[in-house]
Amino acid sequence: MDTKSIHIELIARKQKLEQAACALKENFLGLDEIIDEVMALLMPWYLFPKAQLRPTVINLWGLTGSGKTALVQTLVELLEYQKLYSHVDMGEFESDSAFWMKNILTDDLSFFHEKSPIICLDEFQFARTLDNNGNELGKDKLRVIWDLLDSGKIQYIPNSSTYYLFRADNCLKRLEKLMKESVVLKDGIVTNGVEHFVKAFEGFYFDYNDRSDAVISPSYFITDDFVNGMFHLFDDDDFSKEQLRARIKSSTLEELISLVKQGMHTRPASKTLDLSHSLMFVLGNLDEAYSMSHNMNPDISADEFYEATAKITIADIKRALRKRFRPEQIARLGNNHIIYRSFNCAQFRALIRQELRRIQGFVKNQFGWKVMFDESVVNIVYAEGVFPAQGTRPVFTTVKNLIESKVSSLVVSILEYQLEPVLINWKFDNGQFAYEVLDEKSNVVLSFSDQAKMKLENLRRSVDPQIQAHTAVHEAGHAVLAALTLRIVPSVVVSRTASDMEGFCLVNFPKGPMTRESLKKDIVITLGGYVSKILRRSGSYY
């Protein structure tokens, strides 16, 4: 290829990357910075894959449901790399049957040999090699993964090689016994020493193990079983099956032994799988870095979660990895660590509106009706579907269960009245969805309501005013002392939640190390709830 053609191809590939980046930003809300960083890191690989001496490794760390796997899979589709892509779930290493994982990364990936594939190692936290006490777990089956991440080259023994080498070695030992017994082979058939041949080869098979109990025939060496076994033994294209059969027919017993040895020498005991030109994504959820991931309270502010995850640095990631992997293994992951933030309130709302637009598009395409969702619908989906620690998945399921499930009944109701609406206004009010159907003149031709099946909002309602009042006083005690000691107003004070907590008071302590003075203030604030309840019972408020 001439220089001009190379330049044209490079420009085209660069443009394809830019188009892919734009498409990813349209599909994944709130991930613009993540996408820019990923595209910048993979560009050298995409433009000059043959120039790299070892794989390009990009690590994506984040909370569950943050879009790590979906981002990689969409990128593969946009770059049209489906035929050169492999997704490996590292959670399989937790199972007792994980011994076959090396075969997946060798025989099954042999198609990628010396090519430029994309390999995704998902749920990488399960590939840990240290337990919670820092002791070795002895996962020898993981060595292939670390070799892959380091050099991209794996030494392995192909399944087919071991099988036919073993069968050929077995055959060779039997043939050498026949040599000592003066067995004669003519036209591929044993003509002298048949008894010794039958005894030596009794139960033998080369290719078909289902014939191991078959009676051996003096013409065995020109049967399909032996010829097919010899054909698969040769790791080259020098012989066809018919050529091998003809070679056997013309061979003496000594020459047949030489032919078997020749086949064994063409098939090496081990091979090298070269994936050094690959792009490797390592995806995982690190609870040690995302300490807030265990908080399943839906009433925790998404903005608070966002700010907490925004403080996580590459140093935090490496400290978290150190609790699961050895230092030399962490080094093989490199320094391309991309850290996901959780969604903030605005991003969750944008995601909900995007899902509602998808439903609007469906109704418009199917029936020609325009649906307008009131902001009250966004609010109830947010209230029911946002668990900051669980990412976007609960939002998608809430939209499906709360909104999409109502579309069919709405459509049927309109069709039963034989209406031809132009616009449908969809609102939420007092536990019900309210619908207004308007015609082309903007006249309301039908209005009705439907009970919304809510779960979290019902949990937020007080079941006992006395208990809620008691909790409110308790949390107020924390809040007052936080303001007095730290001069900080708590970001959230709640007396009733949808979780198993009665309430909570969220105080953001100043940045910096914990000192004796700050620890003292923390203790004072913690005891504030207890003190406020004592004061309430004694009537000291008044």
Side-chain angles (χ1 to χ4, degrees), residues 197-261:
F197 163 72
V198 171
K199 183 178 180 180
F201 273 81
E202 183 179 5
F204 177 79
Y205 61 92
F206 206 143
D207 195 40
Y208 306 127
N209 59 7
D210 58 352
R211 65 161 304 282
S212 59
D213 295 330
V215 178
I216 202 75
S217 166
S219 60
Y220 168 70
F221 295 119
I222 55 175
T223 63
D224 287 344
D225 178 71
F226 190 81
V227 173
N228 287 343
M230 289 291 292
F231 176 77
H232 292 297
L233 177 65
F234 278 84
D235 192 30
D236 55 39
D237 299 325
D238 288 347
F239 297 103
S240 66
K241 291 181 182 180
E242 292 307 315
Q243 287 174 325
L244 278 171
R245 185 176 274 108
R247 177 82 177 269
I248 293 169
K249 285 184 177 181
S250 64
S251 297
T252 63
L253 189 60
E254 185 176 5
E255 290 171 338
L256 181 60
I257 292 174
S258 297
L259 183 63
V260 173
K261 289 181 178 179

Side-chain angles (χ1 to χ4, degrees), residues 225-383:
D225 178 71
F226 190 81
V227 173
N228 287 343
M230 289 291 292
F231 176 77
H232 292 297
L233 177 65
F234 278 84
D235 192 30
D236 55 39
D237 299 325
D238 288 347
F239 297 103
S240 66
K241 291 181 182 180
E242 292 307 315
Q243 287 174 325
L244 278 171
R245 185 176 274 108
R247 177 82 177 269
I248 293 169
K249 285 184 177 181
S250 64
S251 297
T252 63
L253 189 60
E254 185 176 5
E255 290 171 338
L256 181 60
I257 292 174
S258 297
L259 183 63
V260 173
K261 289 181 178 179
Q262 181 184 347
M264 293 176 71
H265 290 152
T266 66
R267 182 173 291 278
S270 65
K271 285 188 175 183
T272 299
L273 176 62
D274 186 356
L275 299 177
S276 59
H277 305 311
S278 63
L279 169 66
M280 303 195 65
F281 284 100
V282 174
L283 279 54
N285 309 325
L286 291 178
D287 292 343
E288 294 86 349
Y290 291 83
S291 57
M292 70 295 296
S293 62
H294 298 289
N295 193 334
M296 297 300 171
N297 193 334
D299 292 313
I300 290 289
S301 168
D303 289 337
E304 295 289 343
F305 247 79
Y306 176 84
E307 291 301 325
T309 56
K311 297 174 183 177
I312 299 173
T313 66
I314 188 172
D316 298 318
I317 293 296
K318 292 206 171 188
R319 276 194 294 270
L321 290 170
R322 184 64 185 87
K323 296 181 180 180
R324 293 175 179 263
F325 305 103
R326 298 195 301 272
E328 66 272 17
Q329 293 171 334
I330 299 171
R332 296 189 183 195
L333 293 174
N335 274 342
N336 295 334
H337 295 281
I338 299 178
I339 305 168
Y340 275 65
R341 298 180 179 181
S342 66
F343 271 31
N344 58 28
C345 178
Q347 289 168 339
F348 272 119
R349 288 184 173 276
L351 177 64
I352 294 170
R353 292 188 182 97
Q354 178 177 278
E355 284 297 287
L356 295 179
R357 285 195 295 271
R358 178 180 58 81
I359 296 173
Q360 289 172 325
F362 170 79
V363 175
K364 184 68 174 178
N365 292 334
Q366 292 292 317
F367 306 99
W369 307 335
K370 183 178 180 181
V371 178
M372 292 294 294
F373 287 101
D374 187 72
E375 190 64 17
S376 59
V377 177
V378 176
N379 293 339
I380 191 59
V381 173
Y382 185 98

Side-chain angles (χ1 to χ4, degrees), residues 520-535:
K520 179 180 177 181
K521 292 178 180 179
D522 189 14
I523 294 173
V524 170
I525 295 170
T526 303
L527 293 174
Y530 174 73
V531 172
S532 65
K533 287 188 289 186
I534 293 177
L535 293 174

Side-chain angles (χ1 to χ4, degrees), residues 347 403 438 472:
Q347 289 168 339
I403 306 300
L438 285 68

